[in-house]
């Protein structure tokens, strides 16, 4: 049996999906699962582009043997060495000792770190712009360091104008037969996971993603084949446009998100009142999150989407409420920039969270802080309504 799909006359998808894994990278919830994409070129020479995660190795090898149909595997191109793609390399060389591995120098070193087989004797080292002719197809290799590891390269088939883009343009979400983005309602059903994947996995490396986009915009591209999620053959410009915004940390739209860290609901109440006042001023699509119950990855994703953020936090152990601190440090680690930010703090005897949150955000690039921090002591009082009204007004004015 096999579970493969034709992309063109002689290029095939042979990946597999996992709907059982709870946390991708043991860190990110994936309620819609994940696909590990691998590709095969059936040319005069046979070519495999990347392997898959160990969890789906059985199906992957069934697919590979089906596509080879008894022929030898001539080349395996290794675009990315993260184990969700390279895990089966050891078994691949056992099953196909004839295969030459197409790698760059950094990849070669990483294979030696992950595996014990003799890498040198079976590797062909490629550099930026090098090509490999496999018969009808010519593969061109371009380095894409830090998208999202240092050894990453992308492979461009100049015959079919296909970009095998490694992690770039990938997304969380398992595939179910419809492997093309134009076969699903991508904007409604997939974009939130694509944004969450980008912002959390690659988001820190916006400069490097911009460099890759610049490099590839010189190429005529008819299809983008990422290592996760749907393949793009229509409306490529729309998705590339999303990437251009994300990579430049530009908000996709004007809007406010309000993550709050609240112990007994009083900080949450202040945040809710502010949200109501913002809505009263015509602001739409306000997103509120309890940082204790929403995984940070979702809030990071919406921080990449929207222009304004209000952080509302209780003071805890003379510090920022811990789940809120985790969020702020993650946003800083992902180099979030170009946002307008305001703060609400709470503290029954010594409010500290506002000052400390402000310190973290002040260290981030191009962040505009709306003053002053609104301070509540234990619970919001009627006389403070004017402060929240002023904050709502200042946020609306900054839109
Ligand atoms: Fe899908 Fe960076 O691995």
């Amino acid at each position: 049996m096999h579970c493969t799909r034709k992309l063109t006359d002689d290029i095939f998808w042979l990946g597999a999906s996992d709907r059982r894994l709870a946390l991708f990278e043991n860190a990110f919830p994936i309620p819609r699962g994940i696909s590990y994409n691998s590709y095969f070129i059936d040319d005069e020479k046979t070519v495999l582009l990347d392997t898959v995660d160990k969890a789906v190795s059985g199906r992957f090898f069934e697919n590979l043997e089906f596509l080879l149909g008894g022929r030898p595997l001539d080349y395996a191109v290794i675009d990315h060495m993260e184990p969700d793609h390279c895990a089966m390399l050891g078994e691949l060389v056992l099953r196909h000792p004839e295969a030459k591995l197409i790698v760059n120098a950094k990849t070669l070193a990483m294979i030696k770190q992950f595996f014990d087989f003799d890498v040198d004797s079976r590797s062909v080292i490629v550099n930026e712009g090098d090509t490999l002719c496999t018969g009808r197809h010519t593969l061109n290799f371009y380095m894409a360091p830090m998208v999202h590891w240092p050894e990453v390269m992308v492979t461009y088939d100049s015959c079919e104008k296909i970009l095998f883009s490694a992690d770039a343009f990938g997304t969380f979400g398992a595939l179910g037969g419809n492997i093309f983005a134009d076969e699903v309602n991508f904007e409604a059903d997939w974009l939130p996971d694509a944004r969450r994947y980008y912002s959390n996995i690659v988001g820190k490396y916006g400069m490097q993603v911009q460099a890759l986009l610049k490099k590839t915009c010189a190429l005529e591209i008819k299809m983008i084949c990422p290592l996760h999620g749907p393949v793009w053959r229509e409306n490529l410009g729309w998705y590339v446009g999303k990437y251009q915004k994300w990579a430049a940390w530009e908000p996709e739209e004007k809007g406010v998100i309000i993550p709050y860290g609240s112990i007994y609901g009083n900080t949450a109440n202040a945040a809710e009142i502010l949200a109501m006042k913002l809505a009263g001023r015509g602001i739409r699509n306000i997103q509120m999150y309890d940082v204790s119950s929403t995984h940070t990855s979702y809030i990071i994703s919406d921080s990449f989407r929207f222009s304004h953020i209000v952080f509302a936090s209780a003071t805890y152990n003379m510090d920022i409420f811990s789940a809120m601190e985790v969020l702020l440090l993650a946003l800083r680690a992902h180099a979030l920039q170009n946002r307008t930010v305001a703060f609400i703090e709470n503290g029954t005897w010594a409010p500290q969270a506002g000052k400390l949150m402000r310190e973290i955000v002040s260290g981030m690039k191009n962040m505009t802080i709306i003053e002053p921090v609104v301070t509540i002591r234990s619970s919001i009082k009627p006389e403070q309504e004017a402060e929240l009204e002023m904050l709502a007004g200042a946020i609306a004015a900054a839109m």
Side-chain angles (χ1 to χ4, degrees):
M1 288 303 295
H2 71 98
C3 187
T4 65
R5 204 162 157 205
K6 242 181 189 208
L7 302 186
T8 69
D9 283 346
D10 51 11
I11 299 186
F12 297 81
W13 178 92
L14 72 152
S17 289
D18 186 350
R19 296 179 185 80
R20 300 177 70 180
L21 184 69
L23 296 175
F24 180 73
E25 291 186 357
N26 212 11
F28 305 103
I30 44 170
R32 295 177 60 249
I34 184 91
S35 79
Y36 305 103
N37 300 341
S38 173
Y39 301 95
F40 181 79
I41 304 177
D42 188 3
D43 204 352
E44 286 169 28
K45 300 286 185 188
T46 56
V47 185
L48 174 71
L49 291 114
D50 291 293
T51 71
V52 293
D53 189 84
K54 211 174 202 162
V56 293
S57 61
R59 225 169 317 146
F60 166 73
F61 280 115
E62 261 183 23
N63 289 342
L64 178 61
E65 299 315 327
F66 167 79
L67 290 170
L68 282 169
R71 294 171 68 190
L73 176 63
D74 295 302
Y75 298 116
V77 176
I78 313 301
D79 279 333
H80 186 15
M81 273 304 292
E82 193 165 5
D84 54 332
H85 309 294
C86 82
M88 299 326 297
L89 214 45
E91 190 172 337
L92 185 78
V93 300
L94 282 176
R95 287 175 180 243
H96 292 283
E98 75 281 8
K100 287 285 179 202
L101 306 182
I102 309 299
V103 299
N104 61 53
K106 286 180 186 159
T107 312
L108 187 78
M110 282 193 188
I111 298 177
K112 290 177 182 175
Q113 288 174 217
F114 277 107
F115 298 98
D116 294 323
F117 63 80
D118 173 14
V119 186
D120 293 312
S121 67
R122 62 181 91 234
S123 293
V124 176
I125 297 178
V126 292
N127 294 299
E128 175 78 16
D130 282 356
T131 60
L132 174 72
C133 181
T134 61
R136 198 167 78 84
H137 297 264
T138 298
L139 302 180
N140 304 254
F141 304 102
Y142 297 100
M143 303 304 129
M146 300 321 296
V147 187
H148 103 268
W149 276 20
E151 87 299 354
V152 170
M153 63 182 187
V154 298
T155 300
Y156 175 67
D157 173 13
S158 45
C159 166
E160 302 262 25
K161 318 288 185 212
I162 295 179
L163 180 68
F164 297 95
S165 61
D167 273 344
F169 304 106
T171 169
F172 297 133
L175 292 170
N178 295 133
I179 66 159
F180 293 103
D182 55 276
E183 294 177 331
V184 297
N185 189 342
F186 192 90
E187 188 164 6
D189 298 333
W190 285 80
L191 182 59
D193 262 342
R195 185 188 296 110
R196 191 163 65 92
Y197 174 88
Y198 174 84
S199 54
N200 285 277
I201 307 293
V202 197
K204 179 181 173 65
Y205 305 110
M207 299 305 290
Q208 291 84 350
V209 174
Q210 289 182 53
L212 176 63
L213 291 173
K214 202 169 160 193
K215 204 180 271 192
T216 53
C217 78
L219 305 172
E220 184 189 354
I221 298 173
K222 291 186 175 163
M223 193 181 288
I224 297 176
C225 295
L227 287 175
H228 301 286
V231 168
W232 287 80
R233 63 182 174 185
E234 287 180 14
N235 210 9
L236 273 56
W238 177 83
Y239 198 33
V240 171
K242 292 286 179 198
Y243 255 70
Q244 278 165 337
K245 279 204 185 310
W246 295 338
W249 294 276
E250 266 181 46
E252 283 172 71
E253 56 189 287
K254 288 191 183 298
V256 184
I257 69 166
I258 311 177
Y260 63 82
S262 187
I263 303 162
Y264 293 107
N266 291 303
T267 309
N269 189 36
E272 300 274 10
I273 293 168
L274 176 70
M276 210 57 90
K277 291 185 181 304
L278 289 169
R281 289 173 181 269
I283 294 173
R284 302 172 69 174
N285 286 326
I286 297 163
Q287 307 290 325
M288 296 197 70
Y289 296 106
D290 184 333
V291 294
S292 300
S293 58
T294 300
H295 191 272
T296 308
S297 65
Y298 291 90
I299 312 176
I300 289 174
S301 180
D302 264 358
S303 302
F304 273 66
R305 179 179 174 190
F306 289 108
S307 55
H308 290 59
I309 311 174
V310 180
F311 297 100
S313 178
T315 301
Y316 199 81
N317 285 336
M318 291 301 286
D319 214 327
I320 304 167
F321 185 62
S322 56
M324 178 62 85
E325 187 174 26
V326 166
L327 171 65
L328 282 158
L329 295 178
L331 290 172
R332 188 175 69 185
H334 288 78
L336 185 76
Q337 46 197 273
N338 305 323
R339 297 300 188 272
T340 302
V341 170
F343 303 100
I344 297 173
E345 67 173 350
N346 195 353
T348 294
W349 61 93
Q352 281 290 313
K355 174 176 152 270
L356 297 171
M357 290 192 292
R358 201 181 183 293
E359 276 174 17
I360 295 174
V361 172
S362 299
M364 294 159 70
K365 212 172 152 190
N366 292 337
M367 302 296 261
T368 304
I369 295 176
I370 296 178
E371 305 285 6
V373 171
V374 173
T375 300
I376 54 178
R377 286 183 175 267
S378 307
S379 66
I380 189 93
K381 298 295 178 205
E383 56 270 25
Q384 283 191 296
E385 186 171 1
E387 289 177 48
L388 290 179
E389 195 66 60
M390 267 179 56
L391 182 56
I395 292 168
M399 280 275 168

